[in-house]
Amino acid sequence: MGAIPVFNGNPRQSWQFLVRIDGFDTAYFQKATIPEREVEVDEFNPAGSIRATKFAGRSKIGDCTLEKGMFADDGDFAAWNWLTSASDTLTGDLGDPGTYRKDIEIVHIDRVGSPIQTWLLKECFCSKIEWSDNEGESSDHSVETLTLTVGDMEVN
């Protein structure tokens, strides 16, 4: 699985999202659900008023879901190691947030590997991994879905 699947000039290149962690290209995915960002609405009802006054409240950011992935170097254990660094069910240990939270870049790339748009997801951690159904004759990617919980985000 160490082969990088982006080939410049290859019109059949299907990996549309490059994931960078700490400046290194770590994985490619065919589909990404970029987290939604919203501001909650707070209402205040002043005495004697017939309508509520609305104010901006807390900012909320959803999860990022990456589908049909292939890791560039560390194989399929990269996501597993990241997930277990947050919470290891075998030992019952909770991880150190300074270790498992990472800033992630998701780069939307075109068919020849040129960047289209970049999202910087801050303080992310891997909260869920789903593998595809394994078939003996298939050489497809094995990580079907990777869910990242996101603390903050920027769009570039």
Side-chain angles (χ1 to χ4, degrees):
M1 279 255 173
I4 296 177
V6 175
F7 304 102
N8 288 333
N10 183 354
R12 292 178 286 183
Q13 190 273 115
S14 62
W15 308 97
Q16 298 298 301
F17 296 93
L18 164 65
V19 176
R20 286 189 182 130
I21 301 176
D22 298 328
F24 296 102
D25 296 355
T26 51
Y28 297 89
F29 288 87
Q30 292 181 12
K31 182 178 177 185
T33 302
I34 303 301
E36 71 273 358
R37 183 176 187 151
E38 66 178 278
V39 175
E40 292 180 340
V41 178
D42 288 337
E43 292 186 4
F44 176 69
N45 296 309
S49 175
I50 60 170
R51 68 172 177 83
T53 303
K54 296 181 180 183
F55 298 96
R58 293 183 177 190
S59 180
K60 291 179 15 179
I61 299 173
D63 289 343
C64 175
T65 305
L66 302 165
E67 296 181 31
K68 301 188 184 299
M70 180 170 143
F71 292 94
D73 293 323
D74 198 15
D76 296 332
F77 290 110
W80 178 256
N81 292 338
W82 190 15
L83 179 72
T84 57
S85 71
S87 177
D88 191 343
T89 57
L90 294 176
T91 63
D93 293 334
L94 294 176
D96 175 21
T99 303
Y100 66 76
R101 285 185 167 182
K102 300 181 182 297
D103 292 345
I104 307 290
E105 273 185 287
I106 297 180
V107 183
H108 186 193
I109 54 177
D110 63 13
R111 295 280 183 190
V112 294
S114 300
I116 298 171
Q117 186 168 7
T118 302
W119 295 269
L120 176 60
L121 308 180
K122 298 179 179 181
E123 299 178 357
C124 297
F125 61 93
C126 180
S127 56
K128 185 177 181 181
I129 302 172
E130 295 177 51
W131 284 273
S132 59
D133 294 334
N134 294 319
E135 296 178 16
E137 295 179 9
S138 176
S139 63
D140 287 345
H141 43 76
S142 61
V143 173
E144 186 67 27
T145 305
L146 184 69
T147 302
L148 305 177
T149 299
V150 179
D152 198 5
M153 68 183 285
E154 295 177 11
V155 179
N156 297 328

